[in-house]
Amino acid sequence: MSVISRRDLLKRAGLAAVVPVAGVDVARAFETAPPAAAAGPAESLVAQPQREPREHLTAAESDVLEAVVARLIPSDEHGPGAKEAKAARYIDRALGGALASSRQAYGAGLAALDRYARSSRGAAFAQLSPADQDSVLIDVETGAATGFTGSSAAFFNLVRTHTWQGTFGDPYYGGNANFVGWDLIGYPGIRTVVSAEDQRRLERHELKPNHQSAYDTEMFNKATARADEEGLLRRSSRSAGSKAGA
Amino acid sequence: MATRLTDTDVVVVGMGAVGGVAVLPLAQAGIEVIGLEAGTWLSKRDFAPDEIRNNVRDWPMAVQKANGEIPTSRATRSAPTTRAGRHPMMNAVGGTALHYWAQSWRLNPWDFKVVSETKRRYGASRIPKGSTVEDWPFGYDELEPYYDKVEYEMGVSGQAGNLNGKIDPRGNPFEGPRKRPYPMPPLRGTDFLEKMAASANTLGWHAFPGPASINSRPYQNRSACMYHGFCNQGGCHVDAKNSPLVTTIPRAQETGRLKVVTRAHVTQIEVDGEGRASGVTYVTDGVEYFQPAKVVLIASHTYENIRLLLLSKSKAYPNGLSNNHGQVGRHYFSHHQLAGVSALFPFSLNAWYGTPAQGVAVDHWADDNFDHAGLDFIGGGNLWVYSDRRPIAAASGSTWNRAPNWGSAWKAFIKENADRTNNSYLQKTTLPYEDNFVDLDPVAKDALGLPVCRITGEYKENERAIAAFIQDKMEQWYRAAGAIDVTKAPLGGAMGPSTHAYGGTRMGDNRETNVVDRWGFSHEASNLGILGGSVMGTSGARNPTLTAQALSWRTAEHLAKNFNAIASRRA
């Protein structure tokens, strides 16, 4: 079963050649998620033996973010969570595009969160027990955590919102790996045709998840639509300002 | 200096839901039309079922010209001004009708006669204080043939409830009489929608499927709806949503008399020495063009219609085109669509696939369908329950104070409840008031440096009283269907920018209080026509698009029949 087309993956992982993961098939590594049963809560806390290449976050930032999303949507008896969905990969990629305006907030927020973990709980966030990690996150959520630029609660909401997107959004954007988010909430998948019989099967709980991304078909133009590229706003600002703009 | 282009009969500003309709009767009548559109051509390949792009990142709206001209808003003259992050409307051939819900209601006959009917039934004292509401210059019967025209020419699915005065219990018993049934049967139901309809019956209310400008079966060689679930803020991948892009515009082009110019950002309506519209100036890629025309029709959304007039200052119109009576921007109101009611059920609703126009309505508490004698408001609301759910929104919804907002307990909650919630859509009568209006913002500018619109407005006592009343009815309905929890949103304060924006160039016979006459032409510049919600003086309790399209067809037909007179008449 292909999560994201292999071509897209290889294109996205274009930096594989310069990342020291010698001998590892990057595409396969992305596609392989731990089985739900094996990924108990404790397991997500062991130090990662191998980190996926990141496009925008530093290794240190990535470690903290991975640990945070793993607590926001934990892997537990209800199945895999945000770590298995690769929500952090979604966020990392988006920080170079649609979420670029949040890049600075992530750098500052993740650093502040880790500093707060060390000063208040005595260890890097990623090294704390799940219970301590949760207690740190409660402080961050309620705005009680110190050392943040502005309110820690705002940073918490930012990460939580993006973690949702990275867990329940289309896998095309790098998250919801193996459709773990959609399976969790019982979404049966992208269908370009839903017949009356499909609806009846859904109502009888007989409609099986199809594990399709919107872009698995060749029906749709990908990523940024033509309208965005040709948008008048950009054109008019370009013509009004410098040619190099936009 | 603008490049002067070749003269044309009619230039239409905006190829959206209304401009895209007007071009067909004009072109079919042999009139040469140029349609200017700020956006581009999109196709079904652009409309992927992608929640991140469509709903999270607001792709349909976050592009092009409109996002540079987001109106500012404030509740009152002394309240702080804020500016939303995105524009409610989009630019493209087909306009916002590409991604709208496509609910295609006719107004109730009462909506045309709010003042006279209220006086007749309850007395003059019941007109809310400070309201500038007027009767429309004509009644429902005048518009009925044009509703019919648009329903058939574009394609609307639905169930008639009043055929030539004969009530059909399968439809809306409160609707105005229609000459013909809808051209297509209603969109299909679901178990949950049927359950809601049955629950309405237990309350003695009548539920019925709503009308949609979406094909319930193949129509005009286009596909039926595929119910894929991404219609809300998304375009149709099989051309089953009947925007002008796939209906009236291609047919007008087939006549050879419609030329559509895209990426044309109109900045000014020009006038001649006699105060008549002479054409429009637009900018493409930084180059200015002047398109002369015998007749100008502006067909942007309400905000841009108002802005274009206010920006078009001249010797004849020092306060903006057609504004010598100070009425441009007055009688503005955005539809009170807020103050919703949500419910949590103890069972799955199976709402993953469907479209927001696929639902059941209750109209007992709308318009003047019930006795207001003992109540403190006039008008009412339409109750609408529909099928619409997407994964990110479902997962990030309320936990109803039954679980925390993250962690294992949250996860267990959404695993069980992601498909168990429902949001109703409650559209409520909204009236114009003396101190609600649109003008130009003194500070905020668009990408070209031109001021954007500023909304000054708030929902008044009448709107808030309706909201409270309707919320109770909706809660009653949900509880009857087995909801275990119900929440109500605040009754509403400031009027932010809205897709349902009305007034600002109101239609009426009195030129002292209205911008356009009963045919949609300016009282001051008589070869200038205005199309869209900006001419509507009342909202009713339902979506405006079909009414705006019927009015657009009527204005265009009037122009086609009287072209020489309108093209040459003096102000």
Side-chain angles (χ1 to χ4, degrees):
Chain A
M1 178 201 67
S2 167
V3 176
I4 301 173
S5 86
R6 192 180 178 84
R7 191 184 61 234
D8 277 8
L9 259 177
L10 291 172
K11 195 172 67 191
R12 296 219 120 135
L15 63 165
V18 295
V19 172
V21 280
V24 175
D25 180 331
V26 174
R28 193 189 302 154
F30 277 21
E31 286 174 7
T32 308
E43 184 160 323
S44 63
L45 299 168
V46 263
Q48 284 75 33
Q50 176 196 312
R51 186 185 301 118
E52 282 182 13
R54 291 293 178 218
E55 294 177 13
H56 302 98
L57 292 170
T58 66
E61 289 166 345
S62 184
D63 284 348
V64 182
L65 182 61
E66 282 281 7
V68 170
V69 304
R71 293 316 302 157
L72 293 178
I73 311 179
S75 177
D76 58 18
E77 72 271 21
H78 293 298
K83 177 182 165 63
E84 291 72 25
K86 301 198 183 295
R89 179 172 71 185
Y90 161 83
I91 294 170
D92 175 62
R93 284 182 187 170
L95 288 176
L99 302 181
S101 62
S102 296
R103 176 64 186 91
Q104 215 174 355
Y106 268 89
L110 291 169
L113 190 150
D114 207 41
R115 274 198 312 272
Y116 179 72
R118 290 172 198 272
S119 66
S120 66
R121 308 296 194 281
F125 183 80
Q127 306 304 323
L128 293 173
S129 70
D132 281 346
Q133 287 182 329
D134 285 356
S135 75
V136 167
L137 288 175
I138 288 169
D139 288 352
V140 176
E141 180 190 23
T142 57
T146 53
F148 284 76
T149 313
S151 164
S152 66
F155 179 66
F156 182 90
N157 286 332
L158 185 79
V159 177
R160 192 182 53 173
T161 297
H162 294 158
T163 301
W164 279 331
Q165 293 168 12
T167 303
F168 303 102
D170 195 291
Y172 176 74
Y173 295 93
N176 193 9
N178 288 328
F179 302 91
V180 299
W182 290 354
D183 286 348
L184 170 64
I185 57 175
Y187 175 56
I190 303 286
R191 288 158 205 266
T192 54
V193 178
V194 180
S195 66
E197 178 54 26
D198 290 337
Q199 178 66 28
R200 280 192 291 274
R201 280 161 52 211
L202 175 68
E203 289 163 358
R204 291 194 302 254
H205 310 289
E206 290 168 8
L207 192 67
K208 296 279 175 281
N210 66 357
H211 290 178
Q212 293 281 310
S213 157
Y215 301 98
D216 281 345
T217 76
E218 294 299 311
M219 279 180 83
F220 301 110
N221 295 322
K222 290 185 176 177
T224 311
R226 215 163 59 231
D228 201 11
E229 291 162 7
E230 296 180 1
L232 258 194
L233 183 61
R234 293 177 180 206
R235 286 183 178 270
S236 51
S237 58
R238 190 185 311 164
S239 50
S242 75
K243 291 275 182 200
Chain B
M1 184 69 192
T3 304
R4 188 186 171 95
L5 303 168
T6 311
D7 208 332
T8 187
D9 291 335
V10 179
V11 62
V12 184
V13 180
M15 286 291 98
V18 292
V21 166
V23 295
L24 183 56
L26 290 173
Q28 285 176 337
I31 292 167
E32 298 290 333
V33 182
I34 289 181
L36 301 178
E37 170 53 48
T40 57
W41 291 95
L42 298 175
S43 83
K44 53 191 173 187
R45 286 189 58 79
D46 295 310
F47 303 135
D50 178 346
E51 186 181 13
I52 287 184
R53 192 185 69 166
N54 294 349
N55 307 92
V56 171
R57 297 182 183 163
D58 281 330
W59 167 71
M61 288 80 91
V63 296
Q64 302 174 334
K65 164 177 170 280
N67 232 28
E69 60 197 37
I70 300 166
T72 63
S73 56
R74 55 183 188 170
T76 63
R77 286 174 191 272
S78 55
T81 302
T82 59
R83 195 172 187 191
R86 69 167 167 88
H87 201 286
M89 312 299 278
M90 76 175 280
N91 300 125
V93 177
T96 306
L98 295 179
H99 72 74
Y100 78 149
W101 291 18
Q103 289 181 277
S104 290
W105 296 95
R106 295 179 174 197
L107 286 183
N108 183 290
W110 181 80
D111 300 319
F112 297 80
K113 304 280 182 199
V114 168
V115 176
S116 55
E117 281 299 297
T118 298
K119 284 180 178 168
R120 182 187 66 78
R121 195 168 173 187
Y122 309 110
S125 66
R126 294 294 300 275
I127 305 293
K129 191 165 157 280
S131 177
T132 59
V133 63
E134 293 183 356
D135 279 357
W136 287 44
F138 48 77
Y140 166 84
D141 291 347
E142 166 67 23
L143 207 53
E144 200 284 334
Y146 299 96
Y147 278 133
D148 178 276
K149 194 83 173 168
V150 174
E151 286 168 352
Y152 275 80
E153 293 283 344
M154 302 189 77
V156 176
S157 60
Q159 172 62 53
N162 182 341
L163 210 51
N164 293 305
K166 189 169 179 291
I167 300 300
D168 185 331
R170 294 171 300 172
N172 181 6
F174 299 104
E175 75 172 346
R178 56 176 61 246
K179 292 279 191 318
R180 288 193 283 179
Y182 285 101
M184 289 176 276
L187 294 168
R188 75 181 183 218
T190 69
D191 275 2
F192 173 65
L193 295 174
E194 281 160 26
K195 185 183 187 64
M196 286 301 295
S199 303
N201 290 339
T202 68
L203 295 169
W205 305 348
H206 185 80
F208 60 94
S213 190
I214 295 174
N215 295 342
S216 59
R217 58 169 175 73
Y219 192 73
Q220 294 173 343
N221 297 318
R222 280 174 295 103
S223 168
C225 176
M226 293 297 158
Y227 299 90
H228 75 340
F230 291 85
C231 196
N232 186 351
Q233 217 167 295
C236 185
H237 63 307
V238 294
D239 290 343
K241 197 193 285 192
N242 298 323
S243 79
L245 173 67
V246 296
T247 58
T248 46
I249 288 174
R251 297 220 295 285
Q253 284 179 311
E254 281 165 22
T255 66
R257 286 184 288 273
L258 168 65
K259 182 186 170 198
V260 176
V261 179
T262 59
R263 299 195 298 108
H265 181 158
V266 175
T267 54
Q268 177 116 357
I269 314 297
E270 308 292 348
V271 296
D272 63 18
E274 298 173 26
R276 297 167 40 76
S278 58
V280 308
T281 298
Y282 66 89
V283 179
T284 299
D285 292 344
V287 181
E288 217 174 50
Y289 301 89
F290 172 61
Q291 175 60 61
K294 296 187 182 76
V295 175
V296 174
L297 296 180
I298 59 172
S300 301
H301 52 86
T302 286
Y303 305 115
E304 193 64 352
N305 278 355
I306 294 171
R307 193 168 81 114
L308 270 178
L309 294 177
L310 293 179
L311 288 174
S312 300
K313 291 178 180 168
S314 60
K315 200 172 160 192
Y317 305 100
N319 299 314
L321 180 54
S322 195
N323 195 28
N324 288 349
H325 293 80
Q327 294 301 302
V328 174
R330 312 298 305 193
H331 321 295
Y332 167 82
F333 53 105
S334 61
H335 211 182
H336 196 0
Q337 305 154 280
L338 309 173
V341 178
S342 303
L344 177 67
F345 288 87
F347 46 80
S348 289
L349 310 189
N350 303 300
W352 294 114
Y353 302 114
T355 172
Q358 173 196 16
V360 287
V362 165
D363 226 25
H364 276 68
W365 314 109
D367 305 304
D368 201 30
N369 298 341
F370 55 107
D371 187 3
H372 291 66
L375 300 170
D376 57 354
F377 61 89
I378 58 168
N382 171 278
L383 313 182
W384 179 246
V385 171
Y386 57 99
S387 199
D388 182 48
R389 195 184 312 290
R390 286 169 302 282
I392 299 172
S396 53
S398 166
T399 52
W400 301 80
N401 294 319
R402 290 160 186 256
N405 292 315
W406 55 277
S408 275
W410 169 82
K411 191 178 168 200
F413 179 86
I414 60 147
K415 182 180 170 68
E416 182 173 71
N417 294 291
D419 184 41
R420 292 181 170 192
T421 59
N422 191 262
N423 301 312
S424 59
Y425 182 38
L426 309 174
Q427 299 186 76
K428 297 167 282 290
T429 305
T430 315
L431 299 174
Y433 292 89
E434 186 55 48
D435 49 2
N436 288 345
F437 60 94
V438 171
D439 61 0
L440 295 178
D441 192 281
V443 180
K445 305 277 195 289
D446 69 7
L448 297 179
L450 302 170
V452 303
C453 283
R454 174 176 64 181
I455 301 163
T456 302
E458 61 181 351
Y459 299 108
K460 308 285 187 186
E461 275 174 36
N462 197 69
E463 285 73 33
R464 296 169 62 87
I466 294 172
F469 179 84
I470 285 302
Q471 284 188 333
D472 286 346
K473 299 298 180 193
M474 192 63 233
E475 173 166 11
Q476 219 181 325
W477 190 11
Y478 273 141
R479 299 275 185 198
I484 53 172
D485 213 339
V486 171
T487 59
K488 299 169 176 175
L491 296 181
M495 282 180 176
S498 172
T499 50
H500 295 200
Y502 304 83
T505 72
R506 190 170 66 179
M507 172 185 280
D509 291 338
N510 182 354
R511 59 191 294 149
E512 303 296 323
T513 56
N514 296 287
V515 173
V516 298
D517 66 16
R518 59 172 53 219
W519 295 106
F521 284 86
S522 164
H523 279 297
E524 299 177 12
S526 57
N527 64 335
L528 170 72
I530 301 177
L531 310 174
S534 64
V535 306
M536 294 171 65
T538 59
S539 67
R542 51 209 85 239
N543 315 64
T545 303
L546 186 77
T547 298
Q549 289 174 326
L551 288 167
S552 176
W553 193 292
R554 181 174 172 273
T555 292
E557 188 185 274
H558 176 76
L559 173 58
K561 284 180 179 165
N562 303 280
F563 186 78
N564 290 334
I566 291 172
S568 62
R569 74 184 171 194
R570 294 288 168 265

